Amino acid sequence: MTTGTDTAAPAVLPAAAPVPAEEVRESVPPPRPAAPRAGSAGRPARQPLRALGRRLRALSLRSAAVLALLAVWETAPRLGLADPTFLPPVSEVAAAWWELLRNGQLGQHTWASLVRSFGGFGIAVVVAVPLGLLIGWYRPVAALLGPLLEVFRNTAALALLPVFVLLLGIGETSKVSIVVYACVWPILLNTISAVGNADPTLVRLARSMDLSTPRLFQKVILPASVPAVFTGIRLAGAVSILVLVAAEMIGAKAGLGYLINASQFNFAIPQMYAGIVTISAIGVAFNQLLVTIERRLSTWRVPS
């Protein structure tokens, strides 16, 4: 029996064909790039300018004291605050320095001093660093050589200069030897201290890993000793120049010490100050070179 209203059967729709993935990807619009923030367009160009500004400020701050000293040196003799006969203005010293450079005397004396100073300094580094590592690591060696080191390190190098001259003569050998003697002690003592102050925890950890003694030195002792060793090397670099100048003043026919001493005897005061300024410039440049080498060898250190 049927009712008055017939219910119609739902129509069955045909299944849609699958759309390929390539068409789906092509139909999706690419994402729009994010709009740049306000003021960010000039940042890449401003960063190098800011870095350059910081470097210029740091350079001006570091050179302010030197420029102030030069200004006082120039004005004090001209204003009568100092006798220009004994302290000529820095402009006259610069003129004398240029004249010495032009006629070749400054280059000749500088080369003679550099050969003696750097030769003795290099020999001291080669001798003192291995000896300091040996003394700092082996306690019997330290106990044996300790009293002897205490005697010689408290004897001034210039006090032994007559002994070096008597034993080795007045030639180049005595001058280089006195530089070696003066430079050995800062390097040796700082190296011994660096090895003795190595972190014992790291040493025990390295020993627990069954590292041999050469590997222990390479991986633990040497990296930890670099800062203190280079402190001694930098001190020795300054000492090498100062001691050599004093030795050249006593007996030499060339060198910056001879130039300063001869200028004083001949009352060529601007030339004397030119030699002194040259020595100072060499010391600053040599110290900066050692600082650069130390930074290269200490790249593993985490900056504080």
Side-chain angles (χ1 to χ4, degrees):
M1 190 177 70
T2 60
T3 59
T5 60
D6 294 333
T7 306
V12 179
L13 298 176
V19 181
E22 291 78 3
E23 297 181 4
V24 174
R25 285 194 296 268
E26 292 177 358
S27 61
V28 177
R32 296 181 179 179
R37 296 180 180 178
S40 62
R43 287 181 183 175
R46 292 176 185 173
Q47 290 179 355
L49 295 178
R50 291 178 179 176
L52 180 61
R54 288 195 296 267
R55 292 178 181 178
L56 291 177
R57 286 194 297 270
L59 180 62
S60 61
L61 181 62
R62 294 177 61 181
S63 58
V66 178
L67 294 177
L69 175 62
L70 294 178
V72 172
W73 188 356
E74 178 68 25
T75 57
R78 297 188 182 278
L79 296 177
L81 301 177
D83 191 348
T85 304
F86 302 107
L87 183 64
V90 68
S91 57
E92 295 184 11
V93 175
W97 186 89
W98 177 253
E99 179 63 23
L100 290 173
L101 181 65
R102 190 183 61 82
N103 59 26
Q105 294 186 38
L106 185 64
Q108 175 187 356
H109 293 301
T110 302
W111 176 253
S113 294
L114 289 180
V115 170
R116 297 164 182 161
S117 178
F118 289 171
F121 172 79
I123 296 173
V125 172
V126 172
V127 172
V129 172
L131 184 60
L133 293 174
L134 182 66
I135 295 175
W137 185 252
Y138 294 103
R139 296 185 181 276
V141 179
L144 176 64
L145 299 179
L148 189 63
L149 296 179
E150 288 295 326
V151 171
F152 281 102
R153 80 181 186 92
N154 289 298
T155 304
L158 294 179
L160 295 177
L161 180 58
V163 178
F164 280 91
V165 172
L166 289 175
L167 296 178
L168 302 175
I170 202 171
E172 300 296 319
T173 305
S174 61
K175 298 178 181 60
V176 175
S177 300
I178 196 68
V179 172
V180 173
Y181 178 85
C183 293
V184 158
W185 303 111
I187 303 174
L188 181 64
L189 297 177
N190 278 273
T191 304
I192 294 173
S193 176
V195 176
N197 293 331
D199 192 348
T201 303
L202 294 178
V203 175
R204 287 194 298 268
L205 180 61
R207 290 189 181 279
S208 66
M209 299 174 64
D210 295 331
L211 289 181
S212 61
T213 300
R215 295 287 292 176
L216 179 62
F217 263 90
Q218 179 185 0
K219 296 297 183 181
V220 179
I221 302 300
L222 288 180
S225 303
V226 165
V229 171
F230 263 89
T231 299
I233 290 176
R234 290 169 59 186
L235 292 174
V239 169
S240 66
I241 298 175
L242 299 178
V243 171
L244 176 64
V245 169
E248 289 176 343
M249 288 181 176
I250 295 176
K253 295 182 179 180
L256 292 174
Y258 169 80
L259 174 63
I260 295 172
N261 202 32
S263 300
Q264 179 192 9
F265 282 132
N266 296 326
F267 213 72
I269 304 302
Q271 286 80 359
M272 182 189 73
Y273 282 104
I276 296 173
V277 170
T278 304
I279 292 173
S280 301
I282 292 174
V284 171
F286 189 37
N287 181 74
Q288 190 61 39
L289 175 63
L290 294 177
V291 170
T292 304
I293 297 175
E294 179 184 0
R295 289 175 180 172
R296 291 293 181 90
L297 296 178
S298 303
T299 53
W300 57 270
R301 300 177 65 191
V302 179
S304 57

